[in-house]
Amino acid sequence: MKEGRGSFSVERGPRKERAAQSGMWKGNSPAGSQGTAMEGTGGELGGQGNWGPEDAPGLLARASLTMLPWPLPLASSALTLLFGALTSLFLWYCYRLGSQDIQALGAGSRARGVRGGPVGCSEAGGPSRRGPGDPGEGPRTEGLVSRRLRAYARRYSWAGMGRVRRAAQGGPGPGRGPGVLGIQRPGLLFLPDLPSAPFVPRDAQRHDVELLESSFPAILRDFGAVSWDFSGTTPLPRGWSPPLAPGCYQLLLYQAGRCQPSNCRRCPGAYRALRGLRSFMSANTFGNAGFSVLLPGARLEGRCGPTNARVRCHLGLKIPPGCELVVGGEPQCWAEGHCLLVDDSFLHTVAHNGSPEDGPRVVFIVDLWHPNVAGAERQALDFVFAPDP
């Protein structure tokens, strides 16, 4: 079909034939002037070449891509929603981590630190500054303990830290909750869900107990080398600590997790035994080891140790008649050459009711880990309560 000048021709056939016969698509404007040619530019309309009138719907559809909003595919929408949910969950988790210790951190800003806390324990660990009803150092150091525990978790992991984390946050402990007896009052750290008994069976630390008992002759020999008359009329010999109470003396090989080199050199048998122990708290401020001497007539009134995470091992060296140990209301007595495992977080009393002719009572005391404290918990507590450099 052909028409007059200024009109376009429509023919059927391949595009190449139409292009050869009629050239570019041309048309007249409403004003009568010749329209400009439309060519593909390969840019906005996507492609190069010549276009015919039958391509107009396609051109309009492709041009509308730049003007109309393009909806996201359903899969992209689902991924976006999932990513948003995961992000919200992560932010909530971070908020919980930070908010759980706000009160503890507030207390920690006013705390003096844990230095000296574990030393303020009972016999062979330093003088106890707390009475049986005192709250101890726990609330004042919870913030510092929490911060150190978080530093440990950032470096290693939170795996297996449930009980330690609850302890650092000052969770319910003995005397804090209903129905709990007040005879167990650790002053600094209470590790929840540990089996508690004033006296621990020997089998719980069989290896260390047997090692110490087999070293009894060497340890007794070391005590003879550093012993003195304990009269109080002569100056305190080198290595001996000031008396905890009248008639109570000690010489420490380890004090608050730190080795005392001069004392260890003077007591090679005892030091060798300590190095062979598996559960000695040698890298923790709760760990002490040394000789404890109680003169006739001396008495250490009721007190509680700093934590229930340890067990105090007493190896009897010289046990005269009339000596008494009461832990948690249960009386016991030492025996020469045998170990007695005590949870000193229970209220305990020590007394020597013998006569002056009986001589002093002498025991070698070592702080061991509680057998139910797991390896990961021990590692974390060693980090939190590391001795001062």
Side-chain angles (χ1 to χ4, degrees), residues 42-318:
E44 294 180 333
L45 298 183
Q48 293 182 354
N50 299 324
W51 305 93
E54 68 274 12
D55 297 317
L59 290 174
L60 292 176
R62 298 175 72 176
S64 66
L65 292 175
T66 60
M67 297 182 291
L68 298 178
W70 187 255
L72 291 174
L74 182 59
S76 300
S77 300
L79 290 176
T80 302
L81 292 175
L82 179 60
F83 178 76
L86 291 176
T87 303
S88 301
L89 183 62
F90 174 74
L91 294 176
W92 173 83
Y93 177 71
C94 294
Y95 169 77
R96 288 292 305 272
L97 283 181
S99 63
Q100 283 177 349
D101 295 333
I102 288 179
Q103 292 182 345
L105 286 173
S109 63
R110 300 185 301 271
R112 293 180 302 177
V114 298
R115 181 178 180 180
V119 183
C121 57
S122 59
E123 197 177 11
S128 176
R129 303 177 180 87
R130 301 182 301 273
D134 295 339
E137 297 289 333
R140 304 175 64 182
T141 57
E142 286 170 5
L144 181 59
V145 171
S146 296
R147 282 181 289 179
R148 289 186 177 180
L149 184 60
R150 287 200 300 273
Y152 172 85
R154 286 194 297 269
R155 182 177 298 184
Y156 300 102
S157 171
W158 281 111
M161 293 295 104
R163 290 192 302 190
V164 178
R165 190 172 181 180
R166 285 154 56 196
Q169 293 171 353
R176 299 185 188 180
V180 182
L181 296 178
I183 59 175
Q184 187 185 21
R185 291 176 174 267
L188 186 59
L189 178 76
F190 175 75
L191 200 61
D193 301 330
L194 278 183
S196 297
F199 296 96
V200 180
R202 291 164 46 91
D203 290 343
Q205 297 287 8
R206 176 182 293 274
H207 174 271
D208 291 352
V209 165
E210 292 179 350
L211 177 59
L212 287 171
E213 290 180 348
S214 65
S215 303
F216 166 73
I219 296 175
L220 182 60
R221 197 162 46 246
D222 287 344
F223 174 75
V226 298
S227 181
W228 56 297
D229 60 4
F230 302 106
S231 63
T233 59
T234 58
L236 199 65
R238 179 171 58 93
W240 287 87
S241 303
L244 310 177
C248 183
Y249 298 90
Q250 61 182 4
L251 183 142
L252 296 176
L253 279 66
Y254 277 79
Q255 182 174 14
R258 298 181 65 185
C259 178
Q260 309 299 307
S262 60
N263 290 345
C264 290
R265 283 193 295 267
R266 298 168 64 193
C267 304
Y271 178 70
R272 190 178 305 112
L274 291 176
R275 299 293 294 175
L277 299 178
R278 293 178 179 174
S279 26
F280 174 39
M281 304 178 77
S282 59
N284 194 298
T285 53
F286 293 132
N288 305 277
F291 299 100
S292 172
V293 176
L294 197 66
L295 300 182
R299 182 181 183 88
L300 292 174
E301 295 296 339
R303 60 196 64 210
C304 296
T307 180
N308 66 330
R310 77 179 184 188
V311 172
R312 181 153 279 191
C313 179
H314 291 207
L315 173 65
L317 299 180
K318 293 184 177 182

